[in-house]
Amino acid sequence: MSWQEYLDTHQDRFEQELLDFVRIPSVSARPEHMRDVERAARWVADRLAAAGIENAEILPTTGHPAVYGDWLHAGTDKPSVLIYGHFDVQPAEPLDLWTSPPFDPEIRDGRLWGRGASDDKGGMFIPILAAEALMAETGRLPVNVKFLFEGQEEIGSPDMPPVIAAQRNRLACDMIFSADGLQWSAQEAQIVMGLKGLMGVEITVDGAATDQHSGLHGGGINNPLMALSQLLASMKDAQTGRITIDGFYDDVIDLSDEDRAEIARVPFDEAGYLAETGAPASFGEEGYSVRERLWARPTLEINGLTGGYQGAGTKTVLPARASAKITCRLVADQDPERIAALIAAHVEAHLPPGVTAQVDRLAGDADPFLVPRGHNATRAAEEVLAETYGAAPYITRVGGSIPIMTLFLRELGVHGVMFGFSVGDENLHAPDEFFRLENFRRGQTAYCRLLEKLGG
Amino acid sequence: MSWQEYLDTHQDRFEQELLDFVRIPSVSARPEHMRDVERAARWVADRLAAAGIENAEILPTTGHPAVYGDWLHAGTDKPSVLIYGHFDVQPAEPLDLWTSPPFDPEIRDGRLWGRGASDDKGGMFIPILAAEALMAETGRLPVNVKFLFEGQEEIGSPDMPPVIAAQRNRLACDMIFSADGLQWSAQEAQIVMGLKGLMGVEITVDGAATDQHSGLHGGGINNPLMALSQLLASMKDAQTGRITIDGFYDDVIDLSDEDRAEIARVPFDEAGYLAETGAPASFGEEGYSVRERLWARPTLEINGLTGGYQGAGTKTVLPARASAKITCRLVADQDPERIAALIAAHVEAHLPPGVTAQVDRLAGDADPFLVPRGHNATRAAEEVLAETYGAAPYITRVGGSIPIMTLFLRELGVHGVMFGFSVGDENLHAPDEFFRLENFRRGQTAYCRLLEKLGG
Ligand SMILES: [Zn+2]
Ligand SMILES: [Zn+2]
């Protein structure tokens, strides 16, 4: 029986198994579900073994566990492929907004409804089933495969960095595919080539020792809120939207004509975008399209600013202190540490008279991530998606960061490829999460094709 | 008996009477002291009558009462002089910081200690005693005198404007002296020639309809906090401290060489000023001394600014809204309405792309106040102070506003002269308020001399 026949024959069983998997309320954010996350880990390890994967085992961490399994008999001339996903889920609250209970999933209208159905239990189950089907056909896999599934993605993977560092040899691989990813739409595929990095600072400006009366001291001493506004304004050109911090763009990899053509090919409805955000107009760095700015240009945003009197009406205070939180979204090859140093230097150079300023780093650094053009795994994924969806995938980027991808790059030296089959409209972190069973099946076929292609 | 002999002879009684007056806890800010404010009004009306003042009566308002009295038999060739003060006091809390109880006053070390001793019961009692002494000597006063004392100065005189407007004819006068005022120090006199006005606005900048994810939307739409910072920064030159709003300085009366010389004559200890405020350096409009800026140049201060995430750590939000409260301290002849309009026009002209802005007026307008050089009442006051203190008074201004002075100017058309004998170090709104009995006596002499000078 071909792997495709095997998949077709067993689809009912697979759906029942996914229902079982979703029934486990493995909510990583809630301490009362700690045992459920463990149960889900056990379920995954057992299911890997049932699919024919060897060495399936739970990897303890200082928090929720991970699961590892491998099949390494394809030969040394075949690549080693690491497949990643996560079995923890978001909290289900508010419960009363669910049509059917989040942890008592059901199938309606060709969709499987329940918390985690799409993110990422349905997604991570797909490559396991692909491996099972390939093994059922040939008794072996076309490449060496390693599976790593974690139980803490939805809380930011706090305990994963040391585990991945410690298991560096065991996880060593030629390619990484993440089964925790989105396609462009239900019928259109994408390949995500870039993720932005992240860097945060807080700027505090001090003037007088305590708040002063604006009548008695206005004109005598500087106002930290004005000085901070002037500092912040000096960081970005109000008309061109260009960041004016010396050296900020130095390490940015410019968009090539090819990059720009790929981005331009992706549909973008600016009116729809504005309707979605409610902003009166789009705005950003001059010389780039909205999409280019969202995906491929670094940004500097003030996330919060506070100082002085915040209540109703007026209070004629000359405040003693003002502070602003800033995060920059970075693109390859910007370095969070270097950008923080540039901001600190800018603040020092542009500090208005009569105040002092301090720049503190905020937690949450992430390196930017850009898959090099012509990357082997990406090319294979592109071809498979084109076959599976009947059209070339869009080449896209993401304005956010995905810490695990950066972690893999740093620890294993491999750019991961997002190869998941969820869609952004599937209420991933909201009530009535669902997964399209059509894409559940399509994903299984795609993973079989991908592994075959990589092996042949 | 000369009025000076009368004053000397009766000083013990006057001190005992002031102790009685201070014993009435006429705290206008506390509803439970409403009857005490009324009692104080009664005490004042009775005391006016006892001094020989006619028509002494309580003027009801919609809040705490005022007291009026007059003596108008000097003849139509003599000026009419309105003397102002207030019999309400600040709250006394925190009570445990008082050496002797605030409303059980006592005399120690030549000072009378108690709430209101200096501000303004001691102050407002002085001209009543001067009138009594003059009447005792001659049976008449050298000028026509009207007294107006209020019971709500410490809560901003909310009910006084309609009363003064309604009594415009009765209060009509050629000169006004306020017995609620400070001398430069215990041994140095001053004449306050200018008060700043006040104008407030709140600027609200809106971008997206709700807070957005800075990774998903940074670069796509503008950030209201950045746009607001840019707007605010565009209002003042960071290096010169000059306000860059078109037309802002148009109506400012420039400092003459004489004005500047008068201000330069007033001692100013910049190191002491910085130590008092805790600011690292002084700062303000280029081309003016600190004192000139504090007293005679308009200012624009951000009193409060808020937007986005205000908690600990970081939140990668692209906020939907930011707002800032601004007040300007104005100098003659700036007009609050015109300045508000200039700010609104500036915001419209400088609004960065991709956001909307709204400018709302805040309550609390006050007109600036500048006594014209050579003003008759001021010249008389200067001469009397020079005689009484043995040296010419400093010619000063105040950065704050005193609403009653502006109100008198608007309703009665007369620039008031501050002619009070308190000193700024007398804990006016703090525990252990006191009044120097030396200045209590000096003030009585000064008011007698003043009225004589104005009459002759
Ligand atoms: Zn996920
Ligand atoms: Zn007062």
Side-chain angles (χ1 to χ4, degrees), chain A residues 20-277:
Chain A
D20 288 343
F21 192 17
V22 172
R23 262 180 216 110
I24 306 170
S26 49
V27 181
S28 50
R30 299 264 192 271
E32 65 270 27
H33 286 296
M34 196 180 75
R35 298 264 162 243
D36 297 315
V37 179
E38 280 176 32
R39 271 209 294 147
R42 186 75 265 158
W43 191 95
V44 172
D46 291 348
R47 193 60 189 79
L48 279 172
I53 302 303
E54 300 172 351
N55 303 312
E57 60 175 280
I58 293 181
L59 296 183
T61 78
T62 44
H64 297 300
V67 173
Y68 175 83
D70 61 30
W71 190 93
L72 304 176
H73 310 297
T76 50
D77 60 327
K78 301 294 184 190
S80 287
V81 172
L82 178 68
I83 297 173
Y84 163 85
H86 66 90
F87 52 85
D88 65 316
V89 300
Q90 280 278 319
E93 289 76 13
L95 300 178
D96 56 329
L97 295 185
W98 287 80
T99 305
S100 53
F103 300 113
D104 191 4
E106 61 178 49
I107 292 171
R108 300 191 304 274
D109 310 323
R111 299 165 172 195
L112 194 152
W113 302 78
R115 169 57 81 229
S118 176
D119 181 21
D120 176 43
K121 285 176 171 172
M124 63 155 280
F125 195 22
I126 285 174
I128 300 176
L129 297 175
E132 178 174 308
L134 288 165
M135 297 282 263
E137 180 180 336
T138 63
R140 44 190 292 119
L141 296 178
V143 292
N144 301 300
V145 175
K146 302 176 179 188
F147 287 98
L148 178 69
F149 298 116
E150 65 162 313
Q152 49 184 255
E153 196 274 342
E154 300 293 3
I155 53 171
S157 310
D159 312 296
M160 292 302 288
V163 173
I164 290 173
Q167 306 270 341
R168 201 181 283 132
N169 290 334
R170 197 186 203 184
L171 297 174
C173 58
D174 304 300
M175 302 166 184
I176 298 174
F177 294 92
S178 171
D180 182 33
L182 303 179
Q183 293 302 332
W184 184 254
S185 72
Q187 305 301 339
E188 296 166 295
Q190 71 175 338
I191 291 277
V192 177
M193 299 297 281
L195 304 171
K196 285 189 182 172
L198 186 66
M199 185 288 321
V201 293
E202 179 154 15
I203 302 175
T204 306
V205 176
D206 283 291
T210 56
D211 287 359
Q212 302 289 333
H213 186 284
S214 76
L216 295 183
H217 296 289
I221 56 178
N222 207 346
N223 181 319
L225 272 172
M226 179 54 88
L228 179 60
S229 295
Q230 290 164 337
L231 266 180
L232 295 169
S234 74
M235 293 183 185
K236 195 188 271 189
D237 186 290
Q239 297 306 318
T240 67
R242 202 166 157 86
I243 294 158
T244 46
I245 293 166
D246 239 21
F248 185 85
Y249 292 103
D250 281 359
D251 298 326
V252 172
I253 299 177
D254 281 335
L255 284 169
S256 68
D257 290 347
E258 206 173 348
D259 292 332
R260 302 186 85 156
E262 279 169 357
I263 293 174
R265 191 166 73 82
V266 182
F268 182 67
D269 166 17
E270 179 155 339
Y273 174 73
L274 293 179
E276 178 198 337
T277 58

Side-chain angles (χ1 to χ4, degrees), chain B residues 86 119-120 153-154 180 429:
Chain B
H86 65 90
D119 181 19
D120 177 39
E153 196 275 343
E154 300 293 2
D180 182 32
H429 290 189

Side-chain angles (χ1 to χ4, degrees), chain B residues 185-269:
Chain B
S185 71
Q187 304 301 339
E188 295 166 295
Q190 70 175 339
I191 291 277
V192 178
M193 299 297 281
L195 304 171
K196 286 188 181 174
L198 186 66
M199 187 287 322
V201 294
E202 178 154 16
I203 303 175
T204 306
V205 176
D206 282 290
T210 56
D211 287 358
Q212 302 289 331
H213 186 283
S214 76
L216 296 182
H217 296 290
I221 56 179
N222 207 348
N223 181 320
L225 272 173
M226 179 54 89
L228 178 59
S229 296
Q230 290 163 337
L231 267 181
L232 295 170
S234 74
M235 294 182 184
K236 194 188 271 189
D237 186 290
Q239 297 306 319
T240 66
R242 201 166 157 83
I243 294 158
T244 47
I245 294 165
D246 240 20
F248 185 85
Y249 293 102
D250 281 359
D251 298 326
V252 172
I253 300 177
D254 282 335
L255 284 169
S256 66
D257 291 345
E258 205 173 348
D259 292 332
R260 301 185 86 157
E262 279 169 356
I263 292 174
R265 189 166 74 82
V266 183
F268 181 65
D269 165 18

Side-chain angles (χ1 to χ4, degrees), chain A residues 208-209 214-215 217 219-220 223 230 236 273 277 283 293 301-307 309-311 313 316-317 325 329 399, chain B residues 208-209 214-215 217 219-220 223 230 236 273 277 283 293 301-311 313 316-317 325 329 399:
Chain A
S214 76
H217 296 289
N223 181 319
Q230 290 164 337
K236 195 188 271 189
Y273 174 73
T277 58
F283 178 75
R293 292 174 342 223
E301 297 296 344
I302 310 172
N303 306 119
L305 201 164
T306 187
Y309 178 66
Q310 313 264 327
T316 54
V317 71
K325 295 173 195 288
R329 298 285 174 171
Chain B
S214 76
H217 296 290
N223 181 320
Q230 290 163 337
K236 194 188 271 189
Y273 176 72
T277 58
F283 178 74
R293 292 173 343 223
E301 297 296 342
I302 310 171
N303 306 118
L305 203 164
T306 187
Y309 178 66
Q310 312 263 328
T316 54
V317 71
K325 294 174 196 285
R329 298 284 174 170

